[in-house]
């Protein structure tokens, strides 16, 4: 809309350029890190000798190394489609889900966009730092997918503090949270050898409790506002986010799986989501005096099944198990919105704008518990050798030798019993919650520092503080003069 | 939006909990059925002996059995991407397409969501019941895709009665329609051995005429309402649905095909959709006194080409044939909206909220006829052996022996002539219409029973009866008090 | 919404049927061309001998011919997913991106839809004309993808003249632009043997400068209007377009690549987009007196990284290079919106409604330059044999013999040096700009002819001239009477 850039304002340089300069500084640091550290993976040798006849059959090559679970097939074809699905979840799904506030839609989708684009870069470096190849970071499509998962975690925390934080604070929060997230995931996956296919522990539970801890540390009494409400149009925009998340969640929960492990993850996620959708509607109406459905529940609780089945998505929960998990998650989530969130706000000083605790927090913990139970019950009889794909540490010693040779990422543990694996799963959940809460509190305290811009009460849940808004209707802007209708809000 | 759950209302339990309790009851029955009947397919034996070196090349395995047309390749990789496309069509496509009513957007997208999530589960059981493995139901990703197709059918019927039925009635309708749909499809596919790649007969025509029959049986004189109109914003939301349906329709019509049969289905669908889009615009302007385009036509008639080419999508209609099919469908659909739908309403007492007859009804019948003609003209010369992939019953006797061994699903017929196949195609269409209309009438009569909640005139096409609406603007709600802005509509 | 078609208006045939009749005429010509020229590719022989056991492993077959770079693998599986991603970009991405004008949303998304559906058909014929097989056109899924790319080009030009042209003019523009586009691409790809993976030269730069030249030739002094502004809701709809474009851009830039060439294109595009997003936000706030973000920048400049990295997407720009390219594109694009677009409008009489020059024009030129530099620096050491996949003309003479046998499309040149290849890249860019500007000026002059309907000032950026609009609120329509609420705007 170039007409907006009318003649008089030529180089209207910012008078308070803290935020843009900070953004540029961070992007510059990222650039330096990319320059020093990040590389493509080595060219596949296969191009060389056989390139003529293998060119078209590229997708078919197999990796030589045992244990290289996803790289081979993925590199050829799988990832673009799955990766694109997850990408849509992050930017459309999370972005539009948060547009439910009637005067914060532009901010929600835009800050989600900005934050995610920053985090993707930062996560490539931080995650890569934990998986160095000869002191350097190699990125492939799987790394991009991993960065998207990291972004999901940070955006979950963002949901808790939505509308109550300045972009500067969000930026600082994201930069702090990414390394902690990566550190916690390395503990869980590499050292405790925990299985968490849909990342319910490491992404959902971590992101939710980190955000809740930040919110507690940043509690403000003026958090209520006339702006903190939805209207029909904002609810419809939010449903775009909900439904894309709901539709692509099977891809999220099966992103790195293959074969019938992948199908199982898709089936379980699909069933759990269906059940949580139906149950959420039911409980939503049941908790309303006039039996009406609440859009807030429909937008969020319907997704709780995807979170709750995440850790065990590829395990033998059986179809009925997936339905039970989704149903319990739906009840938990709607009850959370109706009872627990207001109580947390009033009694515990934890204000949660999007109700993240109900969609990611409690269902994430539920997922961790279900995963531990399933792990403790896993037998080779049920899973055949796919057991060792899901729980590599349960592989018998003799088989594991080859695996251990494949590198440190596959760990050195082997021969675990099912019960021991279950215990490790619970331990990873507890450690995740502990790290999330402690580091979240510290991060929240940091965000209160005067160095970072804080929001005034009038700016809560309002686009007008950080975005050029063209609507005259709110009573605080005159109708734009004909011919130069824009820059309305700046002229005030 | 946890702020909505303000202090005074703690456990405001529903005073008329019929609907939520019914939902919970249905979900419980589904759970019991899942527990008793539904299983994963047996673990692929291939994991066991070869798991180390085949892990990464999983996508490549071939099924041993001849005739297992889609399972093999699909299980590895194809389905997630195609399945996800169809999933988006069901929930985003149908959901947003129906948001065109200016005061029924929340209901349209939410009830579409609820209904589809219910139907997916119910369809897995019902469809599985017709394909039992040792008395049990096995579900894989293809089953999920099949359930999505079933959901499409029920949502088409939903479009006819949109805004005129309570959620309870919709729920009852869906539970009745799913088994009838499955029964009709088994007659057509298993016994008549009919080819219907894009499901235009079994999904579109069935769903449309079932819904129209229901609407006839439930006809009410107060069906007109000031609410039954769109505005610009609702039209834009509806376009989200239209365009996702339009974009992913090639995936829908080629979902279960492979190789060049699949490409042909994609090409034909793409061309037919392009033609129906252009022709719909043209005819829309031609039928308007001031040559204006009507959004109603753009939202719906542009898609008619996808329906009309469905049955013959993988047949040798040739590119020009696809363009003709799409063009005819476009004309038919726009003329339907302008002439036939009002006439059906006034003279035949069939009120059709979304104009389903024009998008799914007539184009579905057209598809069936085109499919029959193409089948009657099919030769081995044109199709090579892919003829028997499309029309298994036309395979010569000697080849068919192996096929027959593959199980009852492949039927025992063989050696059909092209003309005979064409006749069977028409027969399946006629049977489909007959079953849809008769069972639709009965279902409509059942829905009129006072047991199920009926809508008052004031609640027609309005979100306010079943959804918590926060907009004050309609004149029937005071502006929300500051600080506790929600629950507006309940306070009235 | 069949209720709109109320009783009195039965066959209200258009009184000015120029546009619809023109549409029908064009569609009829297309049909004739399809009938005479267009065919499916020959049936794959493989169906015949081996059909039983290869049925399920179809995806795996390899093409026999060397040099047939994409056909083999694509035909089986790759394309549907990638093709569908690009399809969504064209119809959802471009369509909704242009809904930012507050009173032109219906037109933007609908005319984008109509134009694209026309162009897809026309492009199949025109592109096919340059790749005849025995005097006939064969279309496969790759052709469909190619048509989508052509549509992208025409829609970019559409963005420049959005709201200032009648549908008739758009139609004429599209019919003229498609063959010129194809002609220019053939010069670049076949004769100059230029590499442009993401089509930044042939699609983005061409489309932008063609459109700008058209706009110059059609300059009108009344281009400013109160309608030429956005509001919050239109900005949110526009963000749907932005984010789908942003998410699926990696598919666009890697659509025809494979193996690690494809991964590299995905990685580079992803990084460049992330950087251009962050930098656009930063520069947007930096150029605003009150440090506010402008939605116009967020909707457009964030995507500039995808354009700017396009030509070199599969080259060895390295991750840090991709970040630099995206950052520069972000700066360029925001500065373009703030400074260059208003200057072009006022001083050069080039009005650019969507700021296409900033998103596609300058970043497209940047992409061409970066591609030339990368080509000039390319070595076999860096790329191994994939060098010849990216730059076939650089293949040494002896290898190239086999390639030359594969047909004229692969050219006869061989043994080019890197510097020569770089020069050819620049030459292609210059030729593209020259052809775009010259033919754009001519096209613009043609569009001014009185034969084609021109817009009145009052109809600029307004849905009301060509679309039935139901909103009463603008003051130019009375509230609809109860019971027959539609056709509002016609009654005036």
């Amino acid at each position: 809309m170039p007409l907006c850039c009318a003649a008089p304002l030529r180089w209207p340089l910012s008078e308070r350029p803290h935020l843009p300069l900070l953004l540029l500084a961070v992007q510059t640091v990222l650039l330096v890190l990319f320059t020093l550290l990040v590389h493509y993976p080595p060219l596949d040798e296969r191009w060389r000798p056989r390139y003529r006849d293998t060119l078209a059959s590229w997708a078919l090559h197999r990796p030589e190394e045992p244990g290289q679970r996803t790289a081979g097939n993925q590199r050829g074809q799988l990832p673009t489609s799955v990766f694109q699905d997850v990408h849509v979840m992050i930017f459309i799904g999370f972005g539009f889900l948060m547009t439910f506030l009637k005067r914060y839609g532009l901010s929600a989708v835009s800050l989600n966009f900005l934050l995610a684009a920053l985090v993707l870069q930062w996560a490539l470096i931080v995650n890569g730092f934990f998986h160095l190849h000869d002191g350097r970071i190699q990125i492939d499509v799987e790394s991009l997918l991993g960065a998207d998962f990291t972004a999901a975690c940070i955006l979950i925390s963002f949901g808790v503090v939505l509308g109550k934080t300045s972009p500067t604070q969000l930026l600082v929060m994201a930069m702090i949270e990414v390394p902690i997230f990566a550190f916690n995931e390395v503990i869980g996956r590499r050292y405790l050898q925990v299985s968490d296919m849909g990342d319910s522990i490491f992404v959902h539970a971590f992101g939710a409790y980190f955000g809740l801890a930040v919110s507690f540390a940043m509690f403000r009494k003026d958090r209520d506002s006339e702006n903190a409400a939805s209207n029909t149009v904002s609810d419809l925009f939010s449903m775009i986010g909900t439904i894309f998340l709901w539709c692509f969640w099977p891809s999220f929960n099966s992103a790195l799986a293959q074969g019938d492990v992948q199908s199982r993850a898709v089936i379980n996620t699909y069933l759990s989501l269906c059940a949580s959708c139906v149950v959420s509607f039911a409980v939503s109406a049941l908790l309303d005096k006039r039996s009406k459905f609440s859009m807030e529940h429909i937008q969020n609780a319907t997704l709780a099944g995807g979170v709750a089945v995440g850790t065990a998505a590829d395990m033998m929960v059986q179809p009925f198990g997936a339905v039970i998990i989704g149903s319990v998650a739906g009840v938990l989530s709607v009850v959370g919105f109706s009872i627990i969130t207001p109580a947390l706000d009033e009694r515990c000083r934890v204000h949660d704008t999007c109700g993240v605790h109900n969609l990611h927090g409690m269902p994430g913990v539920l997922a961790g518990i279900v995963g531990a139970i399933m792990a403790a019950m896993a037998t080779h009889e049920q899973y055949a050798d796919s057991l060792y794909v899901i729980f590599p540490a349960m592989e018998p010693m003799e088989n594991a030798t080859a695996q251990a040779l494949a590198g440190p990422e596959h760990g050195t543990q082997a021969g675990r019993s099912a019960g021991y694996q279950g215990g490790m799963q619970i331990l990873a959940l507890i450690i995740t919650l502990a790290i999330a809460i402690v580091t979240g509190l510290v991060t929240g305290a940091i965000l209160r520092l005067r160095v970072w811009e804080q929001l005034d009460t009038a700016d809560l849940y309002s686009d007008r503080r950080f975005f050029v808004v063209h609507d005259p209707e709110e009573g605080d802007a005159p109708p734009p003069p004909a011919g130069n209708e824009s820059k309305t809000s700046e002229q005030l």
Side-chain angles (χ1 to χ4, degrees), chain A:
Chain A
M1 214 180 33
L3 296 170
C4 295
C5 311
L9 296 159
R10 262 304 126 104
W11 273 100
L13 273 175
S14 173
E15 291 170 357
R16 295 186 300 181
H18 310 297
L19 171 60
L21 292 181
L22 182 64
L23 278 172
L24 289 178
V26 170
Q27 183 62 48
T28 307
V29 170
L30 288 170
L31 173 58
V32 171
L33 291 171
F34 270 99
T35 310
L36 296 177
L37 292 173
V38 183
H39 297 264
Y40 302 129
L43 268 189
D44 201 291
E45 290 301 316
R46 269 168 288 265
W47 280 109
R48 233 157 301 189
R50 292 187 272 147
Y51 111 92
R52 285 203 170 287
D53 50 80
T54 53
L55 223 53
S57 59
W58 235 83
L60 313 185
H61 80 275
R62 308 171 174 194
E64 264 75 357
E65 307 79 27
Q68 213 188 0
R69 187 169 148 217
T70 49
N73 187 34
Q74 297 247 349
R75 206 193 258 166
Q77 62 221 10
L78 189 65
T80 9
S81 130
V82 169
F83 155 68
Q84 291 284 341
D85 289 353
V86 173
H87 220 41
V88 168
M89 293 177 77
I90 301 302
F91 289 88
I92 289 283
F94 282 105
F96 278 92
L97 181 60
M98 294 197 258
T99 59
F100 70 96
L101 291 169
K102 65 185 170 190
R103 297 209 183 90
Y104 203 65
L106 299 178
S107 306
V109 73
S110 303
L111 295 179
N112 183 85
F113 189 17
L114 170 62
L115 216 56
L118 252 179
V119 166
L120 292 185
Q121 298 176 76
W122 182 219
L124 282 173
I125 289 166
V126 171
N127 295 347
F129 179 78
F130 287 103
H131 305 272
L132 291 176
H133 298 254
D134 301 326
R136 315 178 93 185
I137 294 168
Q138 282 177 11
I139 54 174
D140 52 19
V141 177
E142 216 178 309
S143 319
L144 307 185
L145 188 63
D148 272 57
F149 276 91
T150 309
C153 178
I154 276 69
L155 296 174
I156 289 166
S157 306
F158 171 39
V160 182
V161 297
L162 186 79
K164 300 171 296 184
T165 37
S166 69
T168 313
Q169 289 174 309
L170 291 175
L171 171 63
V172 174
M173 185 189 82
M175 300 309 286
I176 297 175
E177 188 174 358
V178 169
I180 303 172
F181 163 84
F183 175 72
N184 178 59
E185 196 183 14
V186 165
I187 293 179
R189 288 203 199 275
R190 189 180 301 172
Y191 296 101
L192 305 181
Q193 302 241 28
V194 156
S195 177
D196 186 18
M197 177 51 80
D199 266 327
S200 295
I201 300 172
F202 300 125
V203 166
H204 294 287
F206 182 89
Y209 287 97
F210 184 93
L212 292 165
V214 167
S215 183
F216 175 80
M218 295 178 69
F219 186 77
R220 47 194 298 169
K221 291 200 173 144
D222 61 352
R223 73 208 171 275
D224 253 4
S225 154
E226 194 267 323
N227 289 336
S230 67
N231 61 25
T232 297
V233 169
S234 70
D235 274 331
L236 276 171
F237 277 114
S238 183
M239 285 303 287
I240 298 174
T242 298
I243 295 193
F244 271 106
L245 286 171
W246 200 91
C247 284
F248 286 147
W249 213 293
S251 286
F252 191 93
N253 277 359
S254 70
L256 292 176
Q258 286 185 299
D260 55 15
V261 174
Q262 184 194 26
S263 318
R264 202 153 60 228
V266 170
I267 293 168
N268 289 337
T269 307
Y270 178 101
L271 288 174
S272 181
L273 284 165
C274 285
S276 75
C277 175
V278 174
V279 170
S280 298
F281 271 83
V283 179
S284 178
L286 207 58
L287 294 190
D288 182 81
K289 214 171 68 177
R290 297 182 57 179
S291 288
K292 292 192 184 191
F293 301 119
S294 163
M295 289 312 292
E296 178 184 25
H297 302 153
I298 296 172
Q299 284 151 6
N300 293 282
T302 53
L303 298 166
V307 177
V309 83
T311 303
D314 55 348
M315 301 180 196
M316 291 284 178
V317 295
Q318 294 299 330
F320 77 89
V323 170
I324 292 175
I325 294 168
S327 304
V328 172
V331 174
L332 203 62
S333 191
V334 174
V335 169
F337 275 104
S338 295
I339 316 293
I340 301 174
T341 296
L344 277 178
D345 182 29
E346 283 158 40
R347 300 193 198 146
C348 312
R349 301 164 55 99
V350 179
H351 182 263
D352 178 2
T353 311
C354 293
V356 159
H357 186 239
N358 312 305
L359 168 49
H360 304 278
M362 293 186 296
V365 171
L366 175 61
I369 294 169
V370 170
I373 295 172
M374 292 309 301
M377 286 164 42
T379 61
H380 187 271
E381 198 185 348
Q382 272 187 300
Y383 288 81
D385 279 0
S386 76
L387 183 66
Y388 313 136
V389 176
I390 301 170
F391 305 109
M394 288 176 70
E395 185 149 25
M397 271 301 174
E398 61 279 15
N399 297 2
T401 317
Q403 196 188 35
L405 294 173
E409 287 186 42
H410 298 274
T412 49
Q413 269 201 307
R416 269 191 194 169
S417 70
Y420 189 78
Q421 179 70 34
M424 287 295 111
Q425 299 274 140
I426 284 290
L427 184 61
L429 176 62
I430 293 169
I431 291 176
T432 297
L433 297 180
I435 293 182
I437 291 170
V438 172
T439 60
L441 290 173
V442 174
T443 306
I446 294 173
L447 297 184
R448 293 198 88 145
L449 296 178
R450 287 289 174 89
V451 196
W452 323 114
E453 181 163 17
Q454 314 281 327
L455 286 191
D456 292 340
T457 300
D459 296 331
L460 289 175
Y461 320 106
S462 166
D463 285 330
R464 292 183 181 273
R465 172 64 194 85
F466 291 103
F467 287 82
V468 179
V469 177
H470 297 295
D471 301 332
E473 77 226 28
E474 301 293 333
D476 53 358
N484 181 10
E485 69 302 320
S486 54
K487 298 292 180 206
T488 305
S489 61
E490 273 96 328
Q491 290 162 354
L492 300 177

